[in-house]
Amino acid sequence: MHSWNSLTLAEQTLLRRAMSRDPLAGVIQTYGMALRWAHAEEAPTPRSYSKAEQRELVPMLGAVMRSLVERDLVIVREVAGMSPSPSDPVLTGDALHAVLKDPVNWLWTPASERRFSLATPDAVRRDWVDDAYPVVDADGFPAWDGLSRAQREVLVCAAEASSMLTGPFGIWEDLPSGPVGAERIAWVDRQLAPLIPFVRAGWIEVRHYPGVNDDAFTVIPADGLRRALADPAVRYEGEDWGVGIGCVFTDAGLAVWRGGWGRAWGRRLRVD
């Protein structure tokens, strides 16, 4: 088996998704993130790929996926029930080729007629899971017990699938109706305080999700968070899930989470 560092960024991205048993749909956005975090020349601007941009990448990523399957590094299954299962049929040969060449199977939509999940053989996961994320020196960041409750809540939010900070399913309160001007900014600064250090360290990326029926987003830089969070329209105060401001771990942040804080949270399965 080759070393992890000998793999291309596209191969590494697909393998990470497979190790996490993620769906095929949406993987192209993950590839765009990986390019940005690696500061690759072909990386997209700090936003998601458009649907047209995703379709253009399907032939290249489809070829990479077929190669990984042929080398017994990745398994592609068609989801037969409500959720992925190891008993779902494995795709090979012409059936696999047909699925991977069709852009509709790569693009995320709220409801699809067919769904496909990724996995890896146990040996691949065992040999590469520790190499799949950057190694971060644990010196210099506080122990879990040294974090405030608000900091822990932000970290848990970034680690979870929903990852929303604002909106009806977010972990943060909506803007109060009264404060305006400097008073509103001061309120936002207090809410933002536990998040900013993780963003500036490059461990967490904050995003604005404007729509309900797609996975489009724009990245909000650290210096733009105050303005975004002071705007009720950006924060979103409606009832739809997944709209508003959310946060995700970067690859470097996942390494920190897995290397230290994640174990503490995993033992408790809740925020103390």
Side-chain angles (χ1 to χ4, degrees):
M1 186 179 290
H2 298 295
S3 70
W4 178 262
N5 290 332
S6 70
L7 300 171
T8 66
L9 192 57
E11 289 173 326
Q12 290 179 352
T13 300
L14 297 181
L15 272 164
R16 283 197 193 101
R17 290 278 296 213
M19 289 180 194
S20 299
R21 301 180 178 88
D22 287 335
L24 175 65
V27 72
I28 299 178
Q29 300 290 24
T30 307
Y31 178 58
M33 290 181 258
L35 289 173
R36 279 195 293 103
W37 296 338
H39 307 290
E41 184 177 346
E42 67 272 32
T45 56
R47 60 167 175 79
S48 57
Y49 281 126
S50 68
K51 285 184 169 59
E53 290 170 330
Q54 291 182 73
R55 290 189 183 97
E56 290 178 1
L57 288 166
V58 167
M60 182 275 288
L61 289 174
V64 174
M65 186 75 83
R66 287 194 299 274
S67 173
L68 292 172
V69 171
E70 290 166 0
R71 289 147 60 192
D72 295 322
L73 299 178
V74 169
I75 300 165
V76 181
R77 293 187 174 96
E78 181 161 9
V79 179
M82 294 296 295
S83 58
S85 168
S87 63
D88 288 335
V90 174
L91 298 177
T92 59
D94 291 343
L96 176 67
H97 180 75
V99 165
L100 295 180
K101 76 175 185 179
D102 189 344
V104 73
N105 299 320
W106 292 81
L107 274 62
W108 182 88
T109 56
S112 301
E113 290 185 6
R114 301 178 69 189
R115 294 179 296 136
F116 305 93
S117 65
L118 307 177
T120 58
D122 291 341
V124 172
R125 183 176 180 82
R126 182 188 65 239
D127 292 343
W128 275 345
V129 70
D130 289 332
D131 297 327
Y133 301 98
V135 177
V136 175
D137 187 353
D139 294 336
F141 69 86
W144 180 264
D145 291 339
L147 298 171
S148 68
R149 178 186 175 88
Q151 287 175 310
R152 295 182 190 180
E153 288 176 341
V154 165
L155 292 168
V156 171
C157 180
E160 292 185 331
S162 61
S163 73
M164 296 304 296
L165 294 166
T166 70
F169 300 94
I171 65 168
W172 284 351
E173 296 178 10
D174 290 342
L175 278 171
S177 57
V180 295
E183 189 179 356
R184 172 175 287 187
I185 292 298
W187 187 92
V188 167
D189 282 346
R190 289 191 296 272
Q191 191 175 62
L192 189 56
L195 172 66
I196 279 287
F198 303 136
V199 177
R200 295 200 186 281
W203 296 340
I204 285 180
E205 180 173 278
V206 182
R207 302 171 177 174
H208 175 225
Y209 299 96
V212 179
N213 296 319
D214 57 43
D215 57 357
F217 65 85
T218 55
V219 178
I220 306 173
D223 294 340
L225 285 172
R226 173 192 277 177
R227 177 179 296 180
L229 286 163
D231 186 343
V234 176
R235 293 179 66 107
Y236 185 71
E237 297 179 356
E239 297 300 322
D240 291 313
W241 183 90
V243 183
I245 297 175
C247 63
V248 298
F249 279 124
T250 63
D251 285 345
L254 276 174
V256 175
W257 178 254
R258 291 172 65 245
W261 293 323
R263 287 196 296 270
W265 179 61
R267 284 196 301 269
R268 301 170 188 186
L269 299 179
R270 62 189 177 88
V271 177
D272 291 336

Coordinates of all heavy atoms in Angstrom, one line a residue, residues 45 102 116 223 236 238 257 263:
T45 N -12.7 30.3 -4.9 CA -12.7 31.4 -3.9 C -13.4 30.9 -2.7 O -14.0 29.8 -2.7 CB -13.4 32.6 -4.5 OG1 -14.7 32.2 -4.9 CG2 -12.7 33.2 -5.7
D102 N -22.6 10.1 -14.0 CA -23.8 11.0 -14.0 C -23.7 12.0 -12.9 O -23.7 11.7 -11.7 CB -25.0 10.1 -13.7 CG -26.3 10.8 -13.9 OD1 -26.3 12.1 -14.0 OD2 -27.4 10.2 -14.0
F116 N -26.1 7.0 -2.7 CA -24.9 6.2 -2.7 C -24.0 6.6 -1.5 O -23.9 7.7 -1.2 CB -24.2 6.3 -4.0 CG -25.1 6.1 -5.2 CD1 -25.7 7.1 -5.9 CD2 -25.3 4.8 -5.7 CE1 -26.6 6.9 -6.9 CE2 -26.1 4.5 -6.8 CZ -26.8 5.6 -7.4
D223 N -12.7 38.7 10.2 CA -12.9 40.1 10.3 C -14.3 40.5 9.8 O -14.7 41.6 10.0 CB -11.9 40.9 9.5 CG -10.5 40.8 10.1 OD1 -10.4 40.4 11.3 OD2 -9.5 41.0 9.3
Y236 N -30.5 34.8 9.9 CA -31.7 34.1 9.6 C -32.5 33.7 10.8 O -32.0 33.1 11.7 CB -31.4 32.8 8.8 CG -32.7 32.1 8.3 CD1 -33.5 32.6 7.3 CD2 -33.1 30.9 8.9 CE1 -34.6 32.0 6.9 CE2 -34.3 30.3 8.5 CZ -35.0 30.8 7.5 OH -36.2 30.2 7.1
G238 N -35.9 32.6 10.4 CA -37.1 31.9 9.9 C -37.1 30.5 10.6 O -36.5 30.2 11.6
W257 N -9.2 18.4 17.2 CA -10.4 17.8 17.9 C -10.1 16.3 18.2 O -10.3 15.8 19.3 CB -11.6 17.9 17.0 CG -12.9 17.3 17.5 CD1 -13.5 16.2 17.0 CD2 -13.7 17.8 18.6 NE1 -14.6 15.9 17.7 CE2 -14.8 16.9 18.7 CE3 -13.6 18.9 19.4 CZ2 -15.8 17.1 19.6 CZ3 -14.6 19.0 20.4 CH2 -15.7 18.1 20.5
R263 N -11.8 13.4 22.5 CA -11.9 12.3 23.4 C -12.6 12.7 24.7 O -13.4 11.9 25.2 CB -10.5 11.8 23.7 CG -9.8 11.0 22.6 CD -8.6 10.2 23.1 NE -7.6 11.1 23.6 CZ -6.6 11.6 22.9 NH1 -6.5 11.3 21.6 NH2 -5.7 12.4 23.4

